[in-house]
Amino acid sequence: LALEAPMSHFDIFLVNFSSLIVVSAPVWLPSLLVYTYKKWKNAPKSTNEERRKRALYRNLLIGMLAVIIVGPHRHHKFGDLINARKWRVWKAWLKYVSFEVINDQKGEKNKTSSFDPKKDQAILSFVPHGIVPYGLALAGLPQDAVDLIGPFRPVIASATKLFPMGRTLMGWMNSVEANKYKVNQALSQGDRIGVCPGGISEMFENYPKPGRHPDEECVILNSRKGFIKMALKHNIPIIPIFNFGSSKLLKRWESPLLEKASNILRVSICLCFGKYGLPLAFRKRLWYVIGQALHPSDLGVSDPSYISNLDESSDEFRQYVDVMHTRFCDEIKYLFDKYKDDYGWGHRTLRIV
């Protein structure tokens, strides 16, 4: 999809409206609840008509709270029921970001030549995270994207529950809470999962952070080895994906205090903005460059289950983790350096921290 491809006014409206609704939900939804509560509390009750109006506000408030707390609409089966993946709004978004998937082929290096990166179990690792993880969401929710990348369950921070609309969308994607037990459970039942290793911290890592240059693309990987350990324990491959453009859909104000609070609370507290100073995503191309799948069996063991049976605290297991992690970082750097000129980022450098 060419970035200059014309979009209908309605498609542009869908993108802008949905962006506002989702990103600013932590503001407008509590405000709506407070407004409804005040209308109920201050409504007069002298006449039957006034009492009916007061009851209407009360029922509306109870209904909204019930939906927010119980949330049956957030179940992935409800999303399937309403055919959410095929909504026109996602087609508009994919056109807006000129969605493109590039499969980088360097020749078959793996022993598992029958591996299908779109169907077989794997951990899809998206780099970078972005201020808002649009890259992860647009890869896993629209059916057109799923057809190209393959289905997966996104691993999301527990604090996502605080973001009502985002939580709903992730629920429709059958997301997995980012804790060891939940992720292990998903992998044990054969699910494909998608992760952003940089996580919340990566939101604050790029410029305007002090010491960062505007032409640097900074990703946090050096200390992120949890997804590597999961892959080795479950004997499944990791698919590296560099997501060009995902870090440029929004900008943010620099605030060390908010960064520290976000990392402590494990929730993104970020003053971000896009077009017109609003939380409207800038129109940037999103390229998903899919690299060589990294298989545990490529670590030089004859028995594929040998590594998975090792104690995680053993030096031998940690050595395998380090080797796999180094290969992952090398593959991410390779993908960035190979495709940055084609994307228009020839002047930019990748910085792994």
Side-chain angles (χ1 to χ4, degrees):
L1 294 171
L3 183 59
E4 295 78 13
M7 295 180 64
S8 69
H9 293 301
F10 183 65
D11 281 343
I12 294 175
F13 166 77
L14 286 176
V15 170
N16 289 336
F17 181 72
S18 60
S19 188
L20 279 175
I21 289 294
V22 174
V23 178
S24 61
V27 176
W28 67 259
L29 187 55
S31 300
L32 180 61
L33 289 172
V34 170
Y35 172 80
T36 306
Y37 172 78
K38 287 183 176 180
K39 294 293 286 186
W40 167 69
K41 195 70 175 176
N42 299 328
K45 44 186 176 180
S46 303
T47 66
N48 288 336
E49 181 63 27
E50 290 173 341
R51 283 193 289 270
R52 280 195 295 270
K53 193 172 183 180
R54 179 182 171 87
L56 176 63
Y57 285 124
R58 179 199 62 201
N59 294 337
L60 183 59
L61 181 63
I62 293 174
M64 287 192 294
L65 288 173
V67 169
I68 292 171
I69 295 171
V70 180
H73 63 290
R74 288 190 289 265
H75 197 278
H76 69 96
K77 290 185 178 180
F78 182 84
D80 294 340
L81 180 66
I82 61 176
N83 213 16
R85 292 183 183 274
K86 295 183 179 180
W87 286 357
R88 179 173 173 177
V89 63
W90 310 130
K91 292 182 181 292
W93 265 103
L94 296 186
K95 186 182 294 185
Y96 185 77
V97 299
S98 303
F99 185 93
E100 185 170 347
V101 175
I102 301 170
N103 286 287
D104 183 79
Q105 303 295 330
K106 298 193 295 291
E108 182 56 54
K109 294 182 178 179
N110 302 310
K111 299 176 182 178
T112 53
S113 58
S114 61
F115 175 74
D116 187 338
K118 289 171 60 176
K119 296 180 180 179
D120 293 340
Q121 188 182 21
I123 297 177
L124 284 67
S125 183
F126 295 83
V127 178
H129 179 281
I131 294 176
V132 172
Y134 282 113
L136 185 68
L138 291 176
L141 184 54
Q143 188 60 52
D144 290 340
V146 173
D147 291 341
L148 294 172
I149 295 176
F152 66 89
R153 299 178 64 188
V155 176
I156 61 172
S158 304
T160 305
K161 295 177 180 178
L162 301 176
F163 296 84
M165 298 303 297
R167 183 183 179 186
T168 298
L169 296 178
M170 292 297 106
W172 291 347
M173 295 170 66
N174 198 17
S175 61
V176 183
E177 192 172 335
N179 66 60
K180 188 174 181 180
Y181 172 77
K182 294 288 187 181
V183 174
N184 267 321
Q185 185 181 52
L187 293 176
S188 295
Q189 62 191 29
D191 292 335
R192 287 161 54 92
I193 64 171
V195 302
C196 290
I200 291 173
S201 298
E202 202 170 76
M203 296 169 51
F204 301 93
E205 196 58 37
N206 280 287
Y207 183 84
K209 182 175 182 175
R212 299 292 184 254
H213 192 275
D215 290 337
E216 281 184 329
E217 186 77 3
C218 298
V219 298
I220 298 178
L221 288 178
N222 287 337
S223 61
R224 303 306 169 99
K225 300 181 180 181
F227 69 108
I228 303 288
K229 294 177 182 177
M230 290 289 184
L232 294 180
K233 291 303 290 184
H234 290 271
N235 191 29
I236 57 175
I238 294 175
I239 301 179
I241 302 175
F242 195 88
N243 197 186
F244 284 93
S246 64
S247 62
K248 299 301 178 183
L249 291 171
L250 291 172
K251 295 181 179 180
R252 67 176 181 86
W253 297 104
E254 172 61 17
S255 173
L257 179 62
L258 290 181
E259 179 180 357
K260 186 174 182 179
S262 295
N263 288 322
I264 292 175
L265 300 175
R266 293 187 58 79
V267 58
S268 54
I269 308 173
C270 179
L271 298 177
C272 61
F273 62 95
K275 294 188 303 183
Y276 319 122
L278 298 172
L280 300 174
F282 294 110
R283 193 174 185 191
K284 302 291 183 181
R285 292 172 297 160
L286 277 187
W287 280 16
Y288 295 78
V289 184
I290 302 177
Q292 186 77 31
L294 306 175
H295 294 259
S297 58
D298 292 333
L299 296 178
V301 293
S302 56
D303 181 4
S305 64
Y306 174 76
I307 301 176
S308 61
N309 290 326
L310 291 173
D311 189 332
E312 286 190 42
S313 62
S314 68
D315 289 338
E316 187 176 8
F317 183 79
R318 284 197 291 266
Q319 289 171 2
Y320 282 120
V321 169
D322 290 342
V323 171
M324 189 84 154
H325 181 264
T326 298
R327 292 184 180 182
F328 177 81
C329 292
D330 288 345
E331 183 70 9
I332 288 295
K333 188 175 187 310
Y334 162 81
L335 296 175
F336 179 85
D337 289 339
K338 181 177 179 179
Y339 290 95
K340 67 177 185 177
D341 288 326
D342 293 334
Y343 183 76
W345 278 8
H347 61 291
R348 293 179 66 83
T349 57
L350 180 68
R351 181 172 179 174
I352 298 178
V353 296

